[in-house]
Amino acid sequence: MSRARRPVPSAPAAGAPAAPPRLGGRHTLAVTGIALVAAAAASMAGNDYHLRVLFMVTVHLMCALGMNVLVGYAGQKSLGQAGLFAAGAYTAALLTARHGWSPWLALLAAGVVAGLCGALIALASLRAKGPYLAMVTLAFGTMIEKLVSEWDELFGGAAGIFGIGPLAFGGRPLTHLQWVWFGIALCALTHLLLHNLLQGRIGRALLSLQADEIAAGSVGIGVYRSKVLAFVIAAVTCGIAGAMVAQQNQYINSDFISFNLSIFILLLVLFGGAGSTLGPLLGALLLTLVDAFLAQWPSAQHFVYGALLLFALYLMPQGMAGILARFRPRRPRRPQTVAPTDMPAGMPAPRCGDAGPLLTVSRVCKAYGGVQPAQDLSLELRHGHIYALIGPNGAGKSTMLNMLTGVVTPDKGTITFCGQAIAGAQGHAICALGIGRTFQNLRLFGALSVLDNVMTGRHSRMTNGFCASLLGLPGARRQEQTARARALAILQFVGLAAQAGLPAGSLPYGLQRRVELARAIAGEPALLLLDEPAAGLNPQETVELGKLLVKVRALGITLLMVEHHMDLVMSISDHVIVLDYGVKIAEGRPHDIQRNPRVIEAYLGTEEESAA
């Protein structure tokens, strides 16, 4: 018989602290204050050259704000930003000089066209990783540079395009000072929008990609879709920056587009501090001044930028923002506490009826050359039980879990969860259906806090999308508060509430195992797959883990556990399935499995094998 799901509260019990005060208003005031100070300082600039330098600071800051999302959050290196800069610049040029568009509409169109180009680059290049990704994006930038320099009929070739419509206010083109003011206002608005986006669900998703893509997929994050989003954001800001330069100069040619520009945009983020709030501003301000200084020695620019790039990568990995952070006084960490509770908040009702099987695996096969970790394998799981999948090393246990979660695609056979076929589906889609997992080798997001790890586990259960997060709408804020409250309740449930604010990678190994379990529970799974959860634990920690897993089962969650600790398996399992070389050789209750001759033979061997 299946076990009834015990009712749980939908929010922390009375007495739990309220969500922390929202810092968005304070941050908005700070950014507004900095923008006003910068605008006032620009008003005191001595000449047009100084205003031109300040304007280029805002242009470079626009590029850096988007590039920070791609490099600092998603962890993707691109050397093709000059091509996206060109896409925005030439879009504004063609629409105003040759088609009579309003310069304001042309500026918006530049961002749209650059964003589309960024999506195309991402779709074509994200199958590659590391240096190969950088090479693909470099090829795009080089192709665009050649295109605009040699297609005379459309882009004007080396001569370029003249008569580009400038932004105007009240029928008069913006002055140099007004361009600086416009750039400051646009950068401040872009920063605030991206801050809204990156401080919540989407920001955590992007950071998880940088840490571990497989783990990100297992908690419901669409890895490929998130990477494309990061590329598009970086492309849109670069395209708008390119349009600003073209419209302010009222002229553009291929000299503005070079490989040097791509290196410079990447350097803005790495030198300033990738992933930090101040990094883009520091990089844009300092490197624009360096660029203005080096303008009198053009031949030295490539050498200096290359040297700064190596310096930032190897000697200053946290950038200027990281150096400044060392001198900032540390505030004492406030402990995260919740009222005592036995259950995590908001566990869902079962996603499919209790009458039928929860999971059915039918005649599944998987082979790697001559090795067959799954041979015509079938099994069935029902609601509310703890299942153990055991067998000698190499029996195919982890391969089975990987096939159930989309990491590995079976060669043939069917896998059905709650009546839906999931064989070959992507990991994030399987998680959304209600299958969570942990890994044999820990796959935590080590640089994120324990609380953020668990909140990342709730990604598939949150519905605030891109626009709501970008604009910081009340619905998105409520979802963040609910996710935080539930994550804290889950940490209380697993005994980690006191460690909520610590980096997950700094905890002892046994506690890291619990963080991974808490992250999986946060996804509200109907079926939880555990790949050797007791690996590396001492006997006392193993006993405590067993008690915790029984509590998890009491929530109505079905567990399938791959484990070598037979004491743990036999003490908590309701049903045991035994594999040997990819073949199911036995299944049944624990005490029956212990006496099964085929199981004893698989683990201990026959007398003839022992004699040999």
Side-chain angles (χ1 to χ4, degrees):
M1 293 179 61
S2 62
R3 301 172 189 271
R5 182 178 291 263
R6 292 174 58 180
V8 293
S10 60
R22 184 170 165 261
L23 299 180
R26 188 184 305 171
H27 184 82
T28 301
L29 289 176
V31 171
T32 303
I34 293 173
L36 291 174
V37 170
S43 303
M44 296 183 286
N47 53 52
D48 287 348
Y49 174 74
H50 293 156
L51 290 173
R52 172 68 180 178
V53 171
L54 292 176
F55 171 71
M56 290 309 298
V57 170
T58 65
V59 169
H60 293 153
L61 180 53
M62 278 296 296
C63 294
L65 287 170
M67 194 66 171
N68 189 43
V69 176
L70 182 63
V71 177
Y73 281 78
Q76 307 298 306
K77 305 294 190 296
S78 172
L79 293 175
Q81 298 308 105
L84 299 169
F85 188 93
Y90 278 91
T91 296
L94 292 172
L95 291 178
T96 57
R98 298 185 183 177
H99 298 284
W101 277 46
S102 161
W104 293 99
L105 290 178
L107 181 66
L108 295 176
V112 172
V113 171
L116 292 174
C117 291
L120 290 176
I121 298 175
L123 293 172
S125 64
L126 284 179
R127 302 298 180 188
K129 295 183 179 180
Y132 302 103
L133 172 62
M135 292 301 101
V136 173
T137 57
L138 173 60
F140 168 80
T142 303
M143 180 184 69
I144 295 297
E145 181 183 354
K146 293 296 183 183
L147 187 67
V148 300
S149 62
E150 297 182 8
W151 194 348
D152 295 347
E153 293 81 2
L154 183 61
F155 300 110
I161 299 176
F162 293 86
I164 300 171
L167 296 183
F169 185 75
R172 303 180 62 182
L174 299 185
T175 65
H176 288 289
L177 178 59
Q178 288 171 337
W179 269 108
V180 175
W181 286 347
F182 172 73
I184 291 172
L186 186 59
C187 288
L189 177 62
T190 303
H191 169 84
L192 290 174
L193 291 174
L194 292 179
H195 185 265
N196 288 339
L197 187 74
L198 297 174
Q199 295 304 304
R201 174 176 181 254
I202 294 177
R204 288 191 299 271
L206 293 175
L207 287 172
S208 72
L209 300 184
Q210 190 171 167
D212 193 317
E213 292 183 10
I214 293 178
S218 76
V219 297
I221 295 169
V223 173
Y224 198 72
R225 182 173 57 208
S226 297
K227 287 183 179 180
V228 171
L229 176 62
F231 262 91
V232 169
I233 291 172
V236 168
T237 58
C238 263
I240 291 175
M244 289 169 63
V245 170
Q247 291 179 310
Q248 202 260 0
N249 289 329
Q250 301 180 47
Y251 166 70
I252 191 73
N253 76 345
S254 57
D255 291 342
F256 288 84
I257 317 301
S258 66
F259 174 65
N260 186 41
L261 177 60
S262 290
I263 291 291
F264 186 81
I265 294 173
L266 178 60
L267 185 58
L268 289 171
V269 176
L270 296 179
F271 187 80
S276 67
T277 302
L278 281 178
L281 176 59
L282 293 173
L285 182 60
L286 295 175
L287 291 180
T288 302
L289 296 177
V290 170
D291 186 63
F293 177 74
L294 292 176
Q296 52 191 323
W297 299 294
S299 59
Q301 285 181 321
H302 292 279
F303 173 79
V304 172
Y305 293 153
L308 286 175
L309 184 59
L310 291 174
F311 180 77
L313 286 173
Y314 292 103
L315 298 179
M316 200 170 59
Q318 303 301 320
M320 290 300 300
I323 292 177
L324 294 179
R326 297 176 187 174
F327 300 99
R328 186 174 57 193
R330 294 183 178 273
R331 296 180 180 179
R333 184 177 62 87
R334 295 175 58 187
Q336 305 280 359
T337 58
V338 294
T341 178
D342 290 332
M343 300 293 170
M347 293 301 296
R351 291 180 178 80
C352 45
D354 288 344
L358 179 66
L359 177 81
T360 303
V361 177
S362 179
R363 305 186 69 116
V364 163
C365 296
K366 182 65 185 178
Y368 298 99
V371 179
Q372 293 182 295
Q375 301 181 47
D376 209 26
L377 189 57
S378 298
L379 56 89
E380 185 177 279
L381 307 184
R382 293 192 170 270
H383 296 266
H385 294 278
I386 297 179
Y387 291 85
L389 187 62
I390 67 172
N393 289 330
K397 306 180 297 296
S398 292
T399 300
M400 173 52 65
L401 294 197
N402 288 335
M403 287 191 291
L404 295 180
T405 53
V407 178
V408 172
T409 301
D411 296 330
K412 62 180 181 178
T414 61
I415 303 174
T416 305
F417 176 73
C418 289
Q420 298 189 50
I422 62 171
Q426 294 184 319
H428 69 275
I430 292 174
C431 175
L433 290 175
I435 298 181
R437 73 166 297 176
T438 66
F439 295 87
Q440 179 179 354
N441 299 316
L442 277 172
R443 288 184 177 272
L444 285 180
F445 311 130
L448 299 184
S449 70
V450 170
L451 179 60
D452 281 338
N453 266 268
V454 180
M455 290 181 71
T456 302
R458 289 201 55 79
H459 184 87
S460 63
R461 304 299 161 221
M462 300 174 70
T463 57
N464 50 312
F466 174 80
C467 292
S469 300
L470 183 72
L471 298 175
L473 298 181
R477 295 199 299 270
R478 284 194 299 270
Q479 292 236 3
E480 284 294 315
Q481 292 170 357
T482 300
R484 181 180 182 276
R486 292 183 177 180
L488 283 171
I490 291 169
L491 288 175
Q492 176 74 18
F493 175 73
V494 300
L496 291 176
Q499 289 80 19
L502 297 176
S506 69
L507 298 183
Y509 182 82
L511 296 186
Q512 290 188 40
R513 281 284 181 190
R514 292 200 171 212
V515 174
E516 193 176 42
L517 177 61
R519 186 181 68 189
I521 294 173
E524 300 177 353
L527 172 63
L528 180 56
L529 310 177
L530 306 171
D531 197 352
E532 299 195 27
L537 303 185
N538 61 42
Q540 179 60 34
E541 290 173 330
T542 302
V543 171
E544 293 173 355
L545 174 65
K547 295 177 181 178
L548 179 57
L549 294 182
V550 171
K551 290 171 61 180
V552 172
R553 190 263 308 276
L555 301 175
I557 298 175
T558 301
L559 281 74
L560 175 61
M561 172 177 62
V562 170
E563 188 51 72
H564 287 293
H565 285 70
M566 288 300 106
D567 289 343
L568 177 63
V569 169
M570 298 303 168
S571 64
I572 70 170
S573 299
D574 301 307
H575 196 88
V576 179
I577 302 167
V578 188
L579 302 184
D580 189 26
Y581 293 110
V583 177
K584 183 174 70 174
I585 61 173
E587 65 175 312
R589 296 184 180 277
H591 64 272
D592 295 328
I593 294 298
Q594 287 177 308
R595 297 193 297 266
N596 188 296
R598 294 193 65 187
V599 176
I600 295 172
E601 179 183 337
Y603 273 94
L604 302 179
T606 62
E607 292 183 3
E608 291 80 0
E609 290 174 339
S610 300

